[in-house]
Amino acid sequence: MKIKIFGLCAVLLFSCVLWLYQDKEAELVSIINQELANAPAATGHPLFDLLDATKITDSMYPWIGFPVIVISEKQLFGGDDNSTVPPDEIKLKQKLLKYKYKKRIIFNIPSWQIDNDKAGSILTAKHVEWSVLLLTWAKEVLPETNIGMFGVPYSPWSALKSTAHNMSEYLRIHQQLQSVIKASDTLYPLFQLPSLEHSDVFYLMGVHLYIAKTSGKPVYPVLSHKYFALKQQGASPFIPANILKLQCTFVRENADGMVWWAAEAEAWDRRWHDAIADVCFI
């Protein structure tokens, strides 16, 4: 019941979040309410989609979702650092032809990801432009395929909680990302966990999901059983099961689907799975 109430508060009644964090989020609420008035939130699907984007090396393991193709920048460009490399239309289209008739693909291009409030970066506009080109060309080659960018929209955590960034900067970047969002069929915000405090987890998920849903596009948050950043030496790489269950419950109640992701290849480990399967993989 507590999760349902908070989910309703954070996603449907954003004024509740304003009441909790009024000083910091006044501008965010104003902008999002204006956007929501012009673009109704996604209505969702009759069935919740659960997608498996892990890199588990075992040939067989328990079901954690339907396999989904995540295309890396190395697969597209042949290297891992393409921050200053514009896309080549002919080469990209030739590579994308191999995915013809695939139901869904997600592009994961870390070199182009807008993942912090860097409006001053001269490359930000280029990365937005190149992402739109990639999505546009992909749609021309794969008209029946659902396409989207990994990590869009990016997390508002720094803007909400850090003194080094501010919400107006985040909103300026988010406005620049509108062309990428418009060119996407589905949004895949990455639900990172900079804090394990329950209130922070709920707050961040609620704001992040709300921002994504104002686009009117289906939203499939990306979750993982492992921390995205390296933890201190000797610490467990796995996110606590109670936090993962909170995330899964929230996403299932408020989003259109969920992508279970892993950054690196790994052998199957049933410990994390068995602790959350009854909530996350049903």
PDB file of all heavy atoms in Angstrom, residues 122-141:
ATOM      1  N   ILE A 122      30.348  22.113 -25.966  1.00  0.00           N
ATOM      2  CA  ILE A 122      30.075  22.374 -27.386  1.00  0.00           C
ATOM      3  C   ILE A 122      29.657  21.104 -28.106  1.00  0.00           C
ATOM      4  O   ILE A 122      29.095  21.163 -29.205  1.00  0.00           O
ATOM      5  CB  ILE A 122      31.302  22.988 -28.079  1.00  0.00           C
ATOM      6  CG1 ILE A 122      32.511  22.037 -27.981  1.00  0.00           C
ATOM      7  CG2 ILE A 122      31.642  24.341 -27.474  1.00  0.00           C
ATOM      8  CD1 ILE A 122      33.721  22.507 -28.752  1.00  0.00           C
ATOM      9  N   LEU A 123      29.918  19.935 -27.482  1.00  0.00           N
ATOM     10  CA  LEU A 123      29.563  18.681 -28.125  1.00  0.00           C
ATOM     11  C   LEU A 123      28.134  18.244 -27.827  1.00  0.00           C
ATOM     12  O   LEU A 123      27.608  17.363 -28.495  1.00  0.00           O
ATOM     13  CB  LEU A 123      30.529  17.574 -27.699  1.00  0.00           C
ATOM     14  CG  LEU A 123      31.931  17.633 -28.312  1.00  0.00           C
ATOM     15  CD1 LEU A 123      32.821  16.563 -27.697  1.00  0.00           C
ATOM     16  CD2 LEU A 123      31.860  17.458 -29.820  1.00  0.00           C
ATOM     17  N   THR A 124      27.516  18.850 -26.813  1.00  0.00           N
ATOM     18  CA  THR A 124      26.168  18.439 -26.447  1.00  0.00           C
ATOM     19  C   THR A 124      25.214  18.546 -27.624  1.00  0.00           C
ATOM     20  O   THR A 124      24.477  17.605 -27.936  1.00  0.00           O
ATOM     21  CB  THR A 124      25.641  19.277 -25.272  1.00  0.00           C
ATOM     22  OG1 THR A 124      26.449  19.037 -24.124  1.00  0.00           O
ATOM     23  CG2 THR A 124      24.202  18.902 -24.950  1.00  0.00           C
ATOM     24  N   ALA A 125      25.207  19.667 -28.300  1.00  0.00           N
ATOM     25  CA  ALA A 125      24.321  19.858 -29.443  1.00  0.00           C
ATOM     26  C   ALA A 125      24.631  18.865 -30.553  1.00  0.00           C
ATOM     27  O   ALA A 125      23.710  18.354 -31.218  1.00  0.00           O
ATOM     28  CB  ALA A 125      24.431  21.288 -29.965  1.00  0.00           C
ATOM     29  N   LYS A 126      25.921  18.579 -30.753  1.00  0.00           N
ATOM     30  CA  LYS A 126      26.307  17.616 -31.779  1.00  0.00           C
ATOM     31  C   LYS A 126      25.824  16.212 -31.435  1.00  0.00           C
ATOM     32  O   LYS A 126      25.335  15.473 -32.287  1.00  0.00           O
ATOM     33  CB  LYS A 126      27.829  17.615 -31.957  1.00  0.00           C
ATOM     34  CG  LYS A 126      28.377  18.798 -32.717  1.00  0.00           C
ATOM     35  CD  LYS A 126      27.859  18.800 -34.166  1.00  0.00           C
ATOM     36  CE  LYS A 126      28.444  19.941 -34.976  1.00  0.00           C
ATOM     37  NZ  LYS A 126      27.878  19.982 -36.345  1.00  0.00           N
ATOM     38  N   HIS A 127      25.964  15.827 -30.170  1.00  0.00           N
ATOM     39  CA  HIS A 127      25.538  14.495 -29.762  1.00  0.00           C
ATOM     40  C   HIS A 127      24.023  14.339 -29.906  1.00  0.00           C
ATOM     41  O   HIS A 127      23.536  13.266 -30.274  1.00  0.00           O
ATOM     42  CB  HIS A 127      25.976  14.224 -28.323  1.00  0.00           C
ATOM     43  CG  HIS A 127      27.457  14.111 -28.175  1.00  0.00           C
ATOM     44  ND1 HIS A 127      28.105  14.239 -26.964  1.00  0.00           N
ATOM     45  CD2 HIS A 127      28.440  13.888 -29.096  1.00  0.00           C
ATOM     46  CE1 HIS A 127      29.408  14.091 -27.142  1.00  0.00           C
ATOM     47  NE2 HIS A 127      29.631  13.880 -28.425  1.00  0.00           N
ATOM     48  N   VAL A 128      23.293  15.386 -29.603  1.00  0.00           N
ATOM     49  CA  VAL A 128      21.844  15.359 -29.812  1.00  0.00           C
ATOM     50  C   VAL A 128      21.543  15.220 -31.301  1.00  0.00           C
ATOM     51  O   VAL A 128      20.721  14.396 -31.717  1.00  0.00           O
ATOM     52  CB  VAL A 128      21.192  16.634 -29.238  1.00  0.00           C
ATOM     53  CG1 VAL A 128      19.732  16.720 -29.686  1.00  0.00           C
ATOM     54  CG2 VAL A 128      21.272  16.638 -27.715  1.00  0.00           C
ATOM     55  N   GLU A 129      22.209  16.015 -32.109  1.00  0.00           N
ATOM     56  CA  GLU A 129      22.004  15.976 -33.568  1.00  0.00           C
ATOM     57  C   GLU A 129      22.332  14.593 -34.133  1.00  0.00           C
ATOM     58  O   GLU A 129      21.572  14.038 -34.938  1.00  0.00           O
ATOM     59  CB  GLU A 129      22.885  17.024 -34.237  1.00  0.00           C
ATOM     60  CG  GLU A 129      22.833  17.014 -35.759  1.00  0.00           C
ATOM     61  CD  GLU A 129      23.873  17.933 -36.384  1.00  0.00           C
ATOM     62  OE1 GLU A 129      24.449  18.768 -35.657  1.00  0.00           O
ATOM     63  OE2 GLU A 129      24.111  17.799 -37.610  1.00  0.00           O
ATOM     64  N   TRP A 130      23.459  14.015 -33.708  1.00  0.00           N
ATOM     65  CA  TRP A 130      23.872  12.714 -34.232  1.00  0.00           C
ATOM     66  C   TRP A 130      22.922  11.606 -33.764  1.00  0.00           C
ATOM     67  O   TRP A 130      22.663  10.651 -34.515  1.00  0.00           O
ATOM     68  CB  TRP A 130      25.298  12.404 -33.795  1.00  0.00           C
ATOM     69  CG  TRP A 130      26.309  13.370 -34.339  1.00  0.00           C
ATOM     70  CD1 TRP A 130      26.126  14.262 -35.365  1.00  0.00           C
ATOM     71  CD2 TRP A 130      27.648  13.571 -33.877  1.00  0.00           C
ATOM     72  NE1 TRP A 130      27.269  14.999 -35.579  1.00  0.00           N
ATOM     73  CE2 TRP A 130      28.225  14.608 -34.688  1.00  0.00           C
ATOM     74  CE3 TRP A 130      28.433  12.999 -32.884  1.00  0.00           C
ATOM     75  CZ2 TRP A 130      29.532  15.050 -34.514  1.00  0.00           C
ATOM     76  CZ3 TRP A 130      29.728  13.442 -32.702  1.00  0.00           C
ATOM     77  CH2 TRP A 130      30.278  14.449 -33.508  1.00  0.00           C
ATOM     78  N   SER A 131      22.407  11.727 -32.540  1.00  0.00           N
ATOM     79  CA  SER A 131      21.442  10.729 -32.055  1.00  0.00           C
ATOM     80  C   SER A 131      20.171  10.753 -32.889  1.00  0.00           C
ATOM     81  O   SER A 131      19.607   9.696 -33.222  1.00  0.00           O
ATOM     82  CB  SER A 131      21.117  10.999 -30.588  1.00  0.00           C
ATOM     83  OG  SER A 131      22.255  10.845 -29.763  1.00  0.00           O
ATOM     84  N   VAL A 132      19.715  11.942 -33.229  1.00  0.00           N
ATOM     85  CA  VAL A 132      18.515  12.067 -34.069  1.00  0.00           C
ATOM     86  C   VAL A 132      18.772  11.474 -35.451  1.00  0.00           C
ATOM     87  O   VAL A 132      17.916  10.777 -36.015  1.00  0.00           O
ATOM     88  CB  VAL A 132      18.084  13.542 -34.180  1.00  0.00           C
ATOM     89  CG1 VAL A 132      16.949  13.691 -35.210  1.00  0.00           C
ATOM     90  CG2 VAL A 132      17.636  14.068 -32.826  1.00  0.00           C
ATOM     91  N   LEU A 133      19.943  11.728 -36.002  1.00  0.00           N
ATOM     92  CA  LEU A 133      20.289  11.158 -37.305  1.00  0.00           C
ATOM     93  C   LEU A 133      20.280   9.631 -37.246  1.00  0.00           C
ATOM     94  O   LEU A 133      19.748   8.964 -38.143  1.00  0.00           O
ATOM     95  CB  LEU A 133      21.658  11.657 -37.757  1.00  0.00           C
ATOM     96  CG  LEU A 133      21.739  13.111 -38.233  1.00  0.00           C
ATOM     97  CD1 LEU A 133      23.186  13.481 -38.540  1.00  0.00           C
ATOM     98  CD2 LEU A 133      20.865  13.335 -39.458  1.00  0.00           C
ATOM     99  N   LEU A 134      20.886   9.074 -36.192  1.00  0.00           N
ATOM    100  CA  LEU A 134      20.920   7.622 -36.035  1.00  0.00           C
ATOM    101  C   LEU A 134      19.512   7.046 -35.979  1.00  0.00           C
ATOM    102  O   LEU A 134      19.199   6.064 -36.669  1.00  0.00           O
ATOM    103  CB  LEU A 134      21.692   7.255 -34.768  1.00  0.00           C
ATOM    104  CG  LEU A 134      21.662   5.779 -34.349  1.00  0.00           C
ATOM    105  CD1 LEU A 134      22.234   4.886 -35.438  1.00  0.00           C
ATOM    106  CD2 LEU A 134      22.433   5.588 -33.037  1.00  0.00           C
ATOM    107  N   LEU A 135      18.650   7.639 -35.175  1.00  0.00           N
ATOM    108  CA  LEU A 135      17.275   7.153 -35.055  1.00  0.00           C
ATOM    109  C   LEU A 135      16.511   7.303 -36.372  1.00  0.00           C
ATOM    110  O   LEU A 135      15.743   6.425 -36.764  1.00  0.00           O
ATOM    111  CB  LEU A 135      16.560   7.910 -33.937  1.00  0.00           C
ATOM    112  CG  LEU A 135      17.075   7.649 -32.511  1.00  0.00           C
ATOM    113  CD1 LEU A 135      16.497   8.672 -31.544  1.00  0.00           C
ATOM    114  CD2 LEU A 135      16.732   6.234 -32.061  1.00  0.00           C
ATOM    115  N   THR A 136      16.722   8.414 -37.053  1.00  0.00           N
ATOM    116  CA  THR A 136      16.037   8.661 -38.320  1.00  0.00           C
ATOM    117  C   THR A 136      16.472   7.664 -39.385  1.00  0.00           C
ATOM    118  O   THR A 136      15.639   7.082 -40.091  1.00  0.00           O
ATOM    119  CB  THR A 136      16.322  10.089 -38.813  1.00  0.00           C
ATOM    120  OG1 THR A 136      15.878  11.025 -37.821  1.00  0.00           O
ATOM    121  CG2 THR A 136      15.599  10.371 -40.117  1.00  0.00           C
ATOM    122  N   TRP A 137      17.769   7.447 -39.505  1.00  0.00           N
ATOM    123  CA  TRP A 137      18.279   6.499 -40.496  1.00  0.00           C
ATOM    124  C   TRP A 137      17.857   5.074 -40.153  1.00  0.00           C
ATOM    125  O   TRP A 137      17.551   4.287 -41.046  1.00  0.00           O
ATOM    126  CB  TRP A 137      19.800   6.598 -40.571  1.00  0.00           C
ATOM    127  CG  TRP A 137      20.285   7.917 -41.098  1.00  0.00           C
ATOM    128  CD1 TRP A 137      19.578   8.802 -41.864  1.00  0.00           C
ATOM    129  CD2 TRP A 137      21.569   8.514 -40.876  1.00  0.00           C
ATOM    130  NE1 TRP A 137      20.337   9.920 -42.141  1.00  0.00           N
ATOM    131  CE2 TRP A 137      21.573   9.770 -41.560  1.00  0.00           C
ATOM    132  CE3 TRP A 137      22.721   8.127 -40.199  1.00  0.00           C
ATOM    133  CZ2 TRP A 137      22.679  10.621 -41.551  1.00  0.00           C
ATOM    134  CZ3 TRP A 137      23.819   8.971 -40.194  1.00  0.00           C
ATOM    135  CH2 TRP A 137      23.799  10.201 -40.869  1.00  0.00           C
ATOM    136  N   ALA A 138      17.856   4.750 -38.866  1.00  0.00           N
ATOM    137  CA  ALA A 138      17.428   3.407 -38.454  1.00  0.00           C
ATOM    138  C   ALA A 138      15.966   3.168 -38.843  1.00  0.00           C
ATOM    139  O   ALA A 138      15.609   2.078 -39.298  1.00  0.00           O
ATOM    140  CB  ALA A 138      17.610   3.241 -36.946  1.00  0.00           C
ATOM    141  N   LYS A 139      15.141   4.177 -38.683  1.00  0.00           N
ATOM    142  CA  LYS A 139      13.721   4.033 -39.013  1.00  0.00           C
ATOM    143  C   LYS A 139      13.532   3.881 -40.528  1.00  0.00           C
ATOM    144  O   LYS A 139      12.609   3.194 -40.974  1.00  0.00           O
ATOM    145  CB  LYS A 139      12.945   5.249 -38.506  1.00  0.00           C
ATOM    146  CG  LYS A 139      11.502   4.938 -38.166  1.00  0.00           C
ATOM    147  CD  LYS A 139      11.418   3.911 -37.051  1.00  0.00           C
ATOM    148  CE  LYS A 139       9.985   3.530 -36.752  1.00  0.00           C
ATOM    149  NZ  LYS A 139       9.902   2.476 -35.722  1.00  0.00           N
ATOM    150  N   GLU A 140      14.398   4.516 -41.308  1.00  0.00           N
ATOM    151  CA  GLU A 140      14.302   4.375 -42.763  1.00  0.00           C
ATOM    152  C   GLU A 140      14.664   2.955 -43.197  1.00  0.00           C
ATOM    153  O   GLU A 140      14.054   2.413 -44.130  1.00  0.00           O
ATOM    154  CB  GLU A 140      15.238   5.379 -43.435  1.00  0.00           C
ATOM    155  CG  GLU A 140      14.795   6.833 -43.263  1.00  0.00           C
ATOM    156  CD  GLU A 140      15.804   7.826 -43.813  1.00  0.00           C
ATOM    157  OE1 GLU A 140      16.861   7.375 -44.328  1.00  0.00           O
ATOM    158  OE2 GLU A 140      15.552   9.042 -43.739  1.00  0.00           O
ATOM    159  N   VAL A 141      15.631   2.351 -42.520  1.00  0.00           N
ATOM    160  CA  VAL A 141      16.058   0.994 -42.866  1.00  0.00           C
ATOM    161  C   VAL A 141      15.173  -0.055 -42.195  1.00  0.00           C
ATOM    162  O   VAL A 141      14.911  -1.124 -42.770  1.00  0.00           O
ATOM    163  CB  VAL A 141      17.531   0.782 -42.448  1.00  0.00           C
ATOM    164  CG1 VAL A 141      17.972  -0.650 -42.718  1.00  0.00           C
ATOM    165  CG2 VAL A 141      18.427   1.756 -43.180  1.00  0.00           C
TER     166      VAL A 141
END
